[in-house]
Amino acid sequence: MTCYFLRFIILTTAVIFFTLKTLNTVEELNETGFGKPPPRHGYALLVWYVQNCVDNNMVSLCNPMEGEYGFHEFRNTGPFFLLPRLKDKKTYEYFTLGNLNSKHAHDLPYDVRKYYKPHDQKSNMDRVIVKYNKNKNKIETVFISEHYNRSKTYIVNLSLIADLRQQK
Ligand SMILES: *[C@@H]1O[C@H](CO)[C@@H](O)[C@H](O)[C@H]1NC(C)=O
Ligand SMILES: *[C@@H]1O[C@H](CO)[C@@H](O)[C@H](O)[C@H]1NC(C)=O
Ligand SMILES: *[C@@H]1O[C@H](CO)[C@@H](O)[C@H](O)[C@H]1NC(C)=O
């Protein structure tokens, strides 16, 4: 009995621990402090990404597979998987964007890059990670992450994406 109970506790804790928080509104996003103030670049990066790299149906307008804008594969490795593990790796792949030191990152707009200094860690710590459906060329999930720190990694809800698409 005790054993089952303990297992239940451990499993529940694991589920809570491994579930990333979803951000539903601009207020919630602001409250996380993600990507702001300068030299952090994540907020500008996220807004630029949702306004330029997806359409209303989350079809990808940028090509993560080709490394556009510095996109590269995000290997979601264990033992502490940052993101949900991909069940169908033929169809899905995670890609990360925002390392200003990577090839093609200079194609990002100046507003996203302007505070970057190679030796200032803060200026290059934010990432947008996407779950990409290679067959449909669609973005299934958008995540934001303060350099892959689990407690600073969030899922960006579709309605928040829609709101950010409206921002000036
Ligand atoms: C996304 O946010 C909207 C508006 O707050 C909410 O109605 C919806 O349930 C959210 N979706 C998810 C998957 O959390
Ligand atoms: C979120 O932050 C941005 C930029 O700092 C600000 O312009 C906006 O008013 C804030 N939005 C909300 C809903 O707090
Ligand atoms: C992750 O973020 C938390 C909260 O800000 C911080 O205490 C912790 O040191 C960070 N971990 C790493 C590995 O940077």
Side-chain angles (χ1 to χ4, degrees):
M1 230 7 208
T2 319
C3 189
Y4 278 117
F5 186 65
L6 273 178
R7 255 167 64 183
F8 174 78
I9 299 279
I10 290 167
L11 278 176
T12 313
T13 313
V15 168
I16 291 169
F17 185 71
F18 284 114
T19 304
L20 296 175
K21 188 170 188 247
T22 299
L23 305 176
N24 295 328
T25 63
V26 179
E27 285 89 343
E28 286 177 12
L29 172 62
N30 279 6
E31 274 166 20
T32 66
F34 175 77
K36 283 195 294 196
R40 299 276 305 268
H41 70 306
Y43 195 90
L45 177 72
L46 175 64
V47 172
W48 174 82
Y49 177 77
V50 299
Q51 293 188 351
N52 294 278
C53 281
V54 288
D55 73 4
N56 280 329
N57 299 312
M58 296 304 284
V59 171
S60 182
L61 307 175
C62 300
N63 191 339
M65 314 259 299
E66 302 262 304
E68 273 192 319
Y69 302 106
F71 262 116
H72 55 270
E73 185 187 1
F74 175 71
R75 289 177 195 282
N76 190 36
T77 50
F80 303 108
F81 299 92
L82 180 69
L83 306 181
R85 296 178 70 176
L86 294 174
K87 294 199 180 74
D88 177 1
K89 290 191 176 173
K90 281 208 182 91
T91 309
Y92 298 105
E93 196 167 334
Y94 286 126
F95 288 93
T96 179
L97 175 72
N99 181 354
L100 297 175
N101 187 32
S102 58
K103 203 180 163 196
H104 302 306
H106 54 255
D107 293 332
L108 289 167
Y110 178 67
D111 265 351
V112 174
R113 296 181 287 112
K114 63 183 172 187
Y115 301 108
Y116 175 56
K117 288 207 194 78
H119 297 292
D120 184 354
Q121 252 188 348
K122 266 199 169 194
S123 73
N124 199 23
M125 75 194 305
D126 300 323
R127 299 290 185 270
V128 167
I129 312 170
V130 298
K131 181 181 174 186
Y132 180 59
N133 183 325
K134 293 181 268 188
N135 295 343
K136 295 186 179 166
N137 186 38
K138 283 186 88 165
I139 302 300
E140 304 272 340
T141 316
V142 176
F143 305 87
I144 51 176
S145 181
E146 187 176 301
H147 209 267
Y148 314 124
N149 183 333
R150 167 173 291 284
S151 68
K152 296 295 186 75
T153 299
Y154 307 93
I155 297 169
V156 184
N157 175 347
L158 276 179
S159 74
L160 172 53
I161 292 175
D163 287 349
L164 292 174
R165 282 172 60 77
Q166 307 298 319
Q167 274 195 11
K168 279 276 157 62

